[in-house]
Structures are given as C-alpha cells and as structure tokens.
Amino acid sequence: MEVLSRTGLAAMAKVAIRSRERKAVLRPYRGLLLLQTLRWSDEIRDPGDLAHLVPAVPLSDRERRLAEVLVQEMIGVDDSVDHDGYAHALEQLVDAVASGDEPAEPPSEPEPVVDLMTALQQSVDEARAARHPMKRSPKAHRQGN
C-alpha cells in the first residue's frame, strides 16, 4: 500500500471470490489497500472509516524495497494472456456432462503453502528476465551462476 501510494500507481490482480476468478485493481484508499473488482462503478461501496480496525504491520526495509522493485517491474505488463480459469473449467464440465462423459474429479490434495516473500522475489526475477533477457538476476550474479 505504501509503495502504491508513493508512486501513484495501481496494481492488477486476479482474485477468487465465491469460487470465481475475477480481475481486480489494488490501490491505496484512506490508509487501506482497496481491492476493486472490475465491475460497474455503482457496485463499489465506500468502506467508511475502517482504518482503525486494521493493525499496523511493520515492514522490513527488504520487504519495502522488494515491493518497490516489483511495482516498477510490473508497469506495463500485458495481461491479454490472462484468462478466467473458473469459466474455462465450467465450460469443460458442461461439455463433459452434455456429451455423457464422466466429469473429471477435482484434485484431492490441497495446493502446497507458498512462502510469499520467496514467491515475490521469484516474480520480480521473472519480470526482470522478461524485460532484460541479457541481464542476470542479482542473486545469480552473487552466486556466480
């Protein structure tokens, strides 16, 4: 939130709400991080004064710098390759049932828990590699790879 406030930018995201994937915008608003699904403007409600309900979360300098790098690297990302996985899966299910096939069973094992800082660092490294294919990541450079 702090980085988006300082840079005046908004972030694009994909979220699952009520078992449905939606594109959304993340932006700072009255001391909160507002998640706004891409719908009609009259569907957006004013959160009121909720800032006092959100505990202050201290950020390390590393987390703040990494967030700034991620925001800068993601500017201008082409999201045309993004798709609604829920709608696609639903279409496959409807097609399977309509053709008399057995629908595929959902996976019984839950997805593994992801370390957010590691995932964020990997995302930054991938964005840098995509924009600057000749440059190596600082981590790879330090390790001599």
Side-chain angles (χ1 to χ4, degrees):
M1 183 199 57
E2 180 182 323
V3 172
L4 292 175
S5 293
R6 194 167 1 132
T7 59
L9 297 172
M12 294 292 300
K14 187 193 293 188
V15 296
I17 301 174
R18 297 185 183 151
S19 301
R20 184 82 198 255
E21 289 182 344
R22 299 187 186 278
K23 285 187 179 183
V25 175
L26 290 169
R27 61 183 176 161
Y29 181 72
R30 294 186 182 177
L32 300 171
L33 190 59
L34 177 70
L35 174 84
Q36 181 178 8
T37 56
L38 298 179
R39 295 182 152 226
W40 302 107
S41 60
D42 62 349
E43 294 177 317
I44 307 300
R45 295 182 181 168
D46 184 350
D49 186 22
L50 297 178
H52 69 282
L53 299 175
V54 179
V57 178
L59 294 177
S60 70
D61 289 339
R62 179 177 178 261
E63 290 169 324
R64 192 171 280 112
R65 284 190 309 269
L66 192 55
E68 289 173 359
V69 169
L70 178 64
V71 167
Q72 291 302 319
E73 289 296 325
M74 299 305 285
I75 292 173
V77 169
D78 178 16
D79 68 342
S80 64
V81 296
D82 217 359
H83 68 281
D84 184 351
Y86 174 83
H88 179 69
L90 183 60
E91 286 174 22
Q92 287 181 326
L93 177 63
V94 169
D95 290 343
V97 170
S99 66
D101 295 337
E102 280 290 316
E105 289 292 318
S108 60
E109 291 295 317
E111 293 286 326
V113 177
V114 176
D115 175 21
L116 292 179
M117 284 301 292
T118 302
L120 180 60
Q121 183 67 56
Q122 182 179 357
S123 179
V124 167
D125 292 343
E126 289 172 2
R128 280 185 177 155
R131 286 186 176 210
H132 313 289
M134 300 306 283
K135 289 185 180 179
R136 294 188 312 185
S137 73
K139 188 174 186 179
H141 182 69
R142 284 192 304 267
Q143 294 175 348
N145 292 337

